[in-house]
Amino acid sequence: MQLSFAFLTLLGLVVASPTVEKRAQPAGIDVSNFQPTINWATVKANGISFAYIKATEGTTYTSPSFSSQYTGSYNQNITRGAYHFAHPNSSSGATQANYFLAHGGGWSADGRTLPGALDIEYNPSGATCYGLSQAAMVSWIKDFSNTYQAKTTRFPVIYTTTDWWTQCTGNSAAFASTNPLWLARYASSVGTLPAGWSYETFWQHSDNASPNPGDADIFNGDAAGLARMAKGS
Ligand SMILES: *[C@@H]1O[C@H](CO)[C@@H](O)[C@H](O)[C@H]1NC(C)=O
Ligand SMILES: *[C@@H]1O[C@H](CO)[C@@H](O)[C@H](O)[C@H]1NC(C)=O
């Protein structure tokens, strides 16, 4: 996933990527079919601890790179998870959770698999909130989340921005006590969180993870915390 550069430019939000530095918090990346071939041994050697990998979009798209990325990262002992790009305009949350689950988005308690993430954000080609009211959007997300939880025992991680969440859910606090937050903000700090969450679990702080592929993320904790997050303990 990647917030549209044009959109960020429009808002004057483009900032320099934070300089690469050694961080105590585990570093991660998120990738999609934009990075079809990845040398995971190099990524691991570069100090990356976790990766979120795009599996699906709506009910019409599965990433052709998903399987190799999901397996390749796992084989290098990189904690991996799958994500789904929501199309709340085209079918119910339950339908899309089931599609995600049927195409690699599941979870297992092996300690190296993160719960699936729902990427819910700016519509890349249409009304920002996909034509849904704030109440309908909250219901859609609940439907996705509850369906995923019923099948996996884990609540999905929610990837979003504070701006989108405020516009499109009315800054709903309904998920803060159940769903881990993965916040996107390309700046030197995570900034204001959506209502209810007192901390983010993941922060996507840049759309450039160079020298690694994809976007750059940080886990808000230490390595043991990341392992607990994966395990669900
Ligand atoms: C895999 O990573 C975990 C967490 O960093 C570490 O504790 C473990 O020793 C690693 N296992 C191998 C085989 O490298
Ligand atoms: C829903 O939105 C997605 C993303 O913009 C778009 O690709 C798709 O065509 C839309 N589907 C419908 C049924 O409007």
Side-chain angles (χ1 to χ4, degrees):
M1 78 200 68
Q2 192 159 304
L3 297 173
S4 140
F5 185 77
F7 177 82
L8 292 170
T9 307
L10 191 71
L11 293 185
L13 289 177
V14 171
V15 292
S17 303
T19 42
V20 177
E21 60 187 68
K22 235 183 160 39
R23 293 172 191 272
Q25 297 175 317
I29 57 173
D30 59 88
V31 296
S32 67
N33 196 44
F34 287 117
Q35 296 85 25
T37 48
I38 295 174
N39 186 329
W40 289 104
T42 302
V43 169
K44 176 74 177 180
N46 288 341
I48 295 299
S49 303
F50 68 93
Y52 263 108
I53 295 161
K54 184 173 190 172
T56 48
E57 249 188 57
T59 55
T60 53
Y61 175 84
T62 60
S63 168
S65 301
F66 174 75
S67 289
S68 70
Q69 292 170 340
Y70 202 62
T71 306
S73 50
Y74 185 83
N75 287 344
Q76 293 296 330
N77 197 23
I78 291 170
T79 303
R80 50 68 194 277
Y83 76 84
H84 174 79
F85 190 96
H87 284 182
N89 55 326
S90 61
S91 54
S92 73
T95 298
Q96 292 192 29
N98 286 324
Y99 184 80
F100 179 46
L101 286 162
H103 297 92
W107 173 74
S108 59
D110 57 18
R112 292 159 61 186
T113 302
L114 293 163
L118 176 66
D119 175 2
I120 184 120
E121 57 164 292
Y122 306 98
N123 183 349
S125 57
T128 300
C129 305
Y130 296 86
L132 271 65
S133 69
Q134 294 174 339
M137 186 62 79
V138 170
S139 299
W140 193 95
I141 298 167
K142 272 255 178 265
D143 195 25
F144 184 99
S145 179
N146 289 342
T147 302
Y148 191 89
Q149 194 271 340
K151 300 241 161 111
T152 65
T153 76
R154 301 296 303 273
F155 284 99
V157 170
I158 292 176
Y159 168 97
T160 195
T161 71
T162 300
D163 173 70
W164 186 91
W165 191 261
T166 302
Q167 264 190 73
C168 299
T169 74
N171 207 16
S172 171
F175 302 90
S177 62
T178 46
N179 299 68
L181 175 66
W182 178 8
L183 196 79
R185 184 169 189 254
Y186 304 157
S188 57
S189 74
V190 73
T192 305
L193 303 179
W197 278 285
S198 51
Y199 59 90
E200 81 289 359
T201 297
F202 299 103
W203 173 28
Q204 185 189 65
H205 61 87
S206 171
D207 63 355
N208 181 358
S210 181
N212 298 301
D215 308 316
D217 302 282
I218 292 174
F219 175 73
N220 187 10
D222 57 13
L226 181 64
R228 284 194 299 275
M229 171 71 193
K231 193 92 185 162
S233 58

